Structure formats: structure tokens, C-alpha cells
């Protein structure tokens, strides 16, 4: 997308904004995988005892370290998405798109904070956290991630798909993939482990499309 600046020169969305979606998708995928390996959903007392394993704790710490960067790159990705839509965007849908993206980021940070609480809970070295503490921290983290963050992601995906279909800024196959992704995030991700990975997969597809569209525009636009 290009706009005219105060001096009349064209202002173009930075290529880094499009690449941010690719980086975000990779970071979110790594975070989800590490978090699920480090704090298995459905783990019982044996799972809590296994949490004293240094490898599992390291996986959770690595996942938590990725969350702030994933959030930062997602905001850049959100900017690239709105720039790709351009001036033809519907204000209502654009507001839903922006709001759901911001709430998703905040909820993702909340899930990371609750997982941090599981790591920081006070218990004797070499022993497992109490079952009550373990259950609360684990369920709270996964509830925020799968129930709330992923449903906000579903709103983000569905609003972008509707914008893409109405305004013709996305190919039909990508809007269809977005519709399926939104349904999976809305109704399946809270019940089927690993289903939340469809969101970074969709984000990766959309980012590649935005990058290719920008590259094609630069080829046909005179200097």
C-alpha cells in the first residue's frame, strides 16, 4: 500500500512489516510446542512430579521468553494486514479486526504470566509443587490460551476473511482457509490439544500472500 507524504513522495509499508507475520507465526508455533511439552495438559500428580525435570522446566522458560517477541511481531503483522487492506477497508470490520488483535495479544501475555507463576511457586528444591498449586497454574494458563486467546484469534481471522472476501483483497482459497481456521479456533481448540497451531499456520499463509502481493506491486509500479 502507498500513500503520499507531506512532501508528495509515496510512503510504502515497510517490507519488515510483512516479514513480521512470518516471524510471529514461527515464534507462536515454537511457544505453543514448548509450553505443551513443558506443562502437559491433563497431567495429574505424576505430571506435577515430572515437572521437577530440568528439561521440562527449560522448555517452559524458553516458551515464556518467546512470548514478548511474539506479541511485538504480531502488532507489526497487524499493521501489515491493515496496510494490505488499504483505504477500502470497512470501518466496522476494521475495528473488530484491530480490537480482537489487541485483546489476543493481551490474553497471550496473561497466559504467559500464569505459566510463569507455575515456575515461580515456592516449593522445596528438588520436589514437585503442591497438587493444588500445580492444577491452578496449569488450568489457568491453558484456559487463557485455548479458551480466550484462541477465540480472539478466531474473531481476528474471521473478520480478516470477511474483509478479504468483500473487498477482494484476498484470493478465494485464502478466505476459505480463513473460515475453516476460525471455526477450528472457535469450537475445537479448547477441546483438542495442539489445534491452536492452525492460527500460526494461517498467519504464515497470509504473511506470504502479503509479501508476494507487495513484491508484485513493486515490479509494476514505476520508480
Amino acid at each position: 500500500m502507498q500513500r503520499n507524504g507531506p512532501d508528495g513522495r509515496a510512503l510504502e509499508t515497510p517490507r519488515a512489516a510483512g516479514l513480521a507475520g512470518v516471524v510471529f507465526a514461527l515464534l507462536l508455533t515454537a511457544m505453543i510446542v514448548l509450553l505443551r511439552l513443558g506443562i502437559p495438559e491433563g497431567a495429574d500428580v505424576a505430571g506435577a512430579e515430572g515437572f521437577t525435570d530440568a528439561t521440562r522446566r527449560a522448555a517452559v522458560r524458553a516458551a515464556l521468553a518467546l512470548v514478548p517477541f511474539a506479541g511485538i511481531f504480531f502488532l507489526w503483522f497487524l499493521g501489515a494486514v491493515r496496510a494490505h487492506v488499504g483505504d477500502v477497508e470497512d470501518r466496522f470490520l476494521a475495528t473488530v479486526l484491530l480490537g480482537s488483535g489487541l485483546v489476543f495479544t493481551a490474553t497471550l501475555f496473561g497466559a504467559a504470566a500464569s505459566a510463569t507463576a507455575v515456575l515461580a511457586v515456592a516449593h522445596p528444591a528438588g520436589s514437585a509443587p503442591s497438587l493444588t498449586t500445580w492444577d491452578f497454574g496449569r488450568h489457568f494458563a491453558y484456559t487463557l490460551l485455548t479458551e480466550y486467546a484462541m477465540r480472539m484469534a478466531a474473531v481476528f481471522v474471521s473478520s480478516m476473511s470477511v474483509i478479504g472476501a468483500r473487498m477482494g483483497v484476498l484470493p478465494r482459497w485464502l478466505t476459505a482457509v480463513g473460515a475453516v481456521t476460525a471455526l477450528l479456533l472457535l469450537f475445537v481448540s479448547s477441546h483438542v490439544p495442539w489445534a491452536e497451531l492452525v492460527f500460526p499456520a494461517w498467519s504464515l499463509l497470509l504473511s506470504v500472500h502479503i509479501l508476494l502481493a507487495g513484491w508484485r506491486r513493486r515490479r509494476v509500479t514505476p520508480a
Side-chain angles (χ1 to χ4, degrees):
M1 175 184 176
Q2 293 185 342
R3 299 178 186 271
N4 290 330
D7 57 357
R9 291 182 300 177
L11 300 178
E12 185 175 338
T13 303
R15 295 183 186 181
L19 288 173
V22 177
V23 178
F24 160 73
L26 297 177
L27 288 175
L28 184 62
T29 299
M31 186 276 290
I32 292 173
V33 171
L34 290 171
L35 191 61
R36 283 202 170 275
L37 293 177
I39 308 179
E41 190 174 14
D44 51 11
V45 180
E49 293 173 352
F51 186 66
T52 57
D53 184 3
T55 302
R56 183 171 292 179
R57 291 197 305 272
V60 176
R61 289 193 178 95
L64 298 177
L66 295 177
V67 171
F69 298 99
I72 292 170
F73 280 103
F74 178 76
L75 294 178
W76 277 89
F77 172 55
L78 179 58
V81 168
R82 297 199 65 193
H84 180 71
V85 174
D87 295 329
V88 299
E89 69 178 2
D90 179 273
R91 289 187 177 182
F92 171 76
L93 292 172
T95 302
V96 176
L97 180 76
L98 178 61
S100 59
L102 295 178
V103 175
F104 165 77
T105 305
T107 311
L108 185 66
F109 285 174
S114 60
T116 301
V118 177
L119 280 177
V121 64
H123 59 277
S127 64
S130 67
L131 182 58
T132 302
T133 302
W134 168 264
D135 279 342
F136 174 78
R138 177 170 51 85
H139 285 298
F140 189 55
Y142 276 116
T143 298
L144 282 177
L145 179 64
T146 61
E147 295 279 352
Y148 294 96
M150 289 302 118
R151 286 194 166 103
M152 284 298 98
V155 176
F156 179 82
V157 174
S158 60
S159 57
M160 183 59 201
S161 298
V162 173
I163 291 174
R166 285 187 178 181
M167 310 305 174
V169 296
L170 294 181
R172 289 186 178 180
W173 68 268
L174 190 52
T175 58
V177 171
V180 174
T181 300
L183 290 175
L184 290 174
L185 292 173
L186 197 59
F187 298 109
V188 178
S189 63
S190 59
H191 305 290
V192 179
W194 304 94
E196 59 271 8
L197 288 174
V198 298
F199 180 53
W202 174 85
S203 301
L204 182 61
L205 288 176
L206 179 58
S207 300
V208 171
H209 169 73
I210 291 175
L211 287 171
L212 291 176
W215 177 72
R216 285 193 293 265
R217 282 196 301 268
R218 282 188 288 270
R219 288 193 62 187
V220 300
T221 302

